[in-house]
Amino acid sequence: MKFFIDTASLKEIQEAQDLGVLDGVTTNPSLMAKEGIAGKNNVMRHYKAICEIVDGDVSAEVISTTFEEMIAEGEELAEIDEQIVVKVPMIKDGIKAIKYFSERGIKTNCTLVFSAGQALLAAKAGATYVSPFVGRLDDISTDGMNLIEDIRLIYDNYGFETQILAASVRHPMHILQCAKIGADVMTGPLSAIMALLNHPLTDSGLAKFLADYAKVNAK
Ligand code: E4P
């Protein structure tokens, strides 16, 4: 299972990279805005800076919503670095753009996916990744994990190579549930990844080991 971090913060990306478990990064316009990244040149430079930190795919989302504009914007994004994955919204022109990019060897991430039917379309168009948003489904009292299960079943039925990138992951239980179902990738905040470290028995066990060592090794 690949771990992506869902942020545009270079500090958090570096921290996850230093932990040694990071496989990629996803961003979106909201995350870029949160870091105050504005203006085309700054945006392009920021994506390049992310690519220099992480060894893996970096999703950069198009702002355009028409086929022609998405193609132009996506091709420009893809030129920044070979790690760039063009993130395209699940709309009619987005599906056409994903088909266009996939025929030209440009990696894509179909975002804002909330149903199995949308995921099936993304796979048919040749998306590299499909991003079902589990947290946002949970937010409206709909079990996001059911969607991951449905997509896993459909993709396995037909051997689609599109990778299921469970997005909008919010906490460590989401990560574990995705791992049990067999999502190929999860993307979430650094806090969700770091929370996997925690167990009180680890803390108390380590404290006792160190205390016992200190008893017989006192100066
Ligand atoms: C996915 O690629 C999105 O950037 C992201 O996971 C959305 O997460 P949120 O619902 O926590 O904003």
Side-chain angles (χ1 to χ4, degrees):
M1 183 189 197
K2 288 188 240 173
F3 274 23
F4 287 2
I5 188 170
D6 195 32
T7 183
S9 159
L10 299 182
K11 186 170 166 282
E12 289 190 3
I13 294 166
Q14 186 67 62
E15 194 175 336
Q17 175 67 19
D18 290 346
L19 189 63
V21 300
L22 190 63
D23 301 298
V25 175
T26 51
T27 63
N28 64 38
S30 304
L31 294 171
M32 293 291 275
K34 192 174 163 197
E35 297 306 310
I37 315 298
K40 187 176 166 185
N41 289 345
N42 289 334
V43 166
M44 303 293 250
R45 262 198 298 274
H46 199 76
Y47 286 138
K48 186 67 187 171
I50 294 174
C51 291
E52 280 164 7
I53 296 173
V54 67
D55 299 321
D57 285 348
V58 174
S59 285
E61 188 161 339
V62 297
I63 307 301
S64 319
T65 52
T66 66
F67 174 72
E68 291 76 13
E69 286 170 337
M70 277 191 263
I71 295 310
E73 191 183 347
E75 284 181 335
E76 223 172 329
L77 288 169
E79 274 173 25
I80 296 172
D81 194 288
E82 61 182 19
Q83 289 168 247
I84 291 288
V85 175
V86 181
K87 201 172 180 189
V88 178
M90 165 44 77
I91 54 177
K92 186 176 169 189
D93 279 24
I95 287 298
K96 289 160 76 175
I98 287 168
K99 179 73 180 172
Y100 173 96
F101 289 132
S102 76
E103 284 173 349
R104 286 156 182 81
I106 294 175
K107 290 178 283 187
T108 54
N109 175 356
C110 184
T111 191
L112 291 167
V113 166
F114 294 95
S115 77
Q118 291 177 326
L120 180 56
L121 267 181
K124 290 282 293 172
T128 313
Y129 298 101
V130 65
S131 285
F133 279 33
V134 296
R136 291 192 194 185
L137 282 169
D138 287 359
D139 289 344
I140 58 159
S141 306
T142 303
D143 188 349
M145 288 304 150
N146 288 343
L147 177 57
I148 302 295
E149 279 177 353
D150 285 350
I151 300 172
R152 182 74 283 156
L153 175 68
I154 290 167
Y155 283 11
D156 288 350
N157 278 349
Y158 297 98
F160 284 119
E161 288 178 7
T162 299
Q163 295 179 55
I164 303 173
L165 196 176
S168 188
V169 156
R170 304 271 174 78
H171 50 69
M173 285 311 292
H174 272 157
I175 301 178
L176 291 181
Q177 287 165 331
C178 285
K180 285 183 184 173
I181 294 167
D184 301 288
V185 192
M186 80 81 202
T187 191
L190 182 61
S191 59
I193 297 173
M194 296 311 260
L196 292 173
L197 282 167
N198 300 335
H199 198 289
L201 291 179
T202 304
D203 298 341
S204 59
L206 180 59
K208 176 145 178 44
F209 286 155
L210 295 179
D212 289 345
Y213 173 86
K215 271 187 225 161
V216 293
N217 289 279
K219 283 185 188 163

